[in-house]
Amino acid sequence: MLFGAQRRDYANPAILTRGSGWNIPVGTGNVVLTYTGVLTFVLSVLIMIGLIWWLNAHVWDAAMRAVAENKPVAALMGIDVDGVISKTFIISGALAGAAGVMWGIHLGLVYYFVGFVPGIKAFTAAVLGGIGNIPGAMLGGLFLGIVEALGPAVLGLNFQLKDVIAFGILVFGVDLPADRYPGRGAERG
């Protein structure tokens, strides 16, 4: 049965489960690069490239920004506001579904609370890379992943503290200078 609060395990294809991946010695420990991790990275890059291409090829990037900035003015400019909002939710739902499938393949299990921690980390990555900047958000996620993977190994800490590093970056964050990022200084006073 698919529904319920119980954890559900499922088997990955044999090509993704052979061996444990590659062990890379770092500091006092090892960083394990799994086949599912490599697959997730490659698929994420391909999806990001496809999303950027689609936004640029169909002028949806400008329409989304216009609707987000001011709906009435966007409507006066001839933009179908409801259509842009609908398509944005469809795209975001499809991307969230793809991320959920990749995360499920990586974990090998599914349960009702499985997306909470990755969601917080995705928000942290988007803040690091810049909200509204697709390649920047992906680079922020890559930076966060590298810091999470290498941080405990380099510092000689327990690997389970990788989430503490991610949440520490979110809470204490990086205060970006206002002159490097236009539009960010006004709300800081």
Side-chain angles (χ1 to χ4, degrees):
M1 172 171 229
L2 179 63
F3 301 102
Q6 299 83 8
R7 292 176 179 237
R8 306 281 184 218
D9 295 334
Y10 62 91
N12 285 328
I15 194 165
L16 295 176
T17 57
R18 54 187 179 134
S20 62
W22 301 282
N23 290 328
I24 303 168
V26 176
T28 60
N30 282 332
V31 175
V32 177
L33 187 61
T34 62
Y35 295 112
T36 56
V38 172
L39 174 71
T40 300
F41 178 75
V42 170
L43 286 177
S44 297
V45 169
L46 291 175
I47 289 171
M48 182 192 71
I49 290 170
L51 177 65
I52 291 171
W53 172 82
W54 189 83
L55 288 174
N56 290 335
H58 295 93
V59 195
W60 282 101
D61 186 35
M64 283 185 210
R65 291 178 191 270
V67 169
E69 186 69 32
N70 194 332
K71 289 179 194 173
V73 172
L76 288 174
M77 294 295 179
I79 296 173
D80 179 18
V81 173
D82 292 333
V84 169
I85 291 171
S86 297
K87 285 182 178 74
T88 302
F89 273 98
I90 291 169
I91 291 169
S92 63
L95 292 174
V101 167
M102 287 186 279
W103 184 248
I105 287 172
H106 187 68
L107 283 181
L109 63 95
V110 176
Y111 59 100
Y112 72 99
F113 206 60
V114 74
F116 179 73
V117 172
I120 298 293
K121 290 180 183 180
F123 177 71
T124 304
V127 169
L128 282 174
I131 303 283
N133 183 355
I134 297 169
M138 184 145 181
L139 287 175
L142 188 61
F143 170 77
L144 183 63
I146 290 171
V147 168
E148 277 187 343
L150 298 180
V154 169
L155 298 174
L157 301 172
N158 187 346
F159 184 70
Q160 293 175 343
L161 293 176
K162 68 181 181 67
D163 291 338
V164 173
I165 293 171
F167 295 134
I169 290 173
L170 175 63
V171 171
F172 299 112
V174 180
D175 191 20
L176 300 173
D179 58 342
R180 280 186 55 202
Y181 297 92
R184 292 197 53 168
E187 62 270 8
R188 293 193 182 169

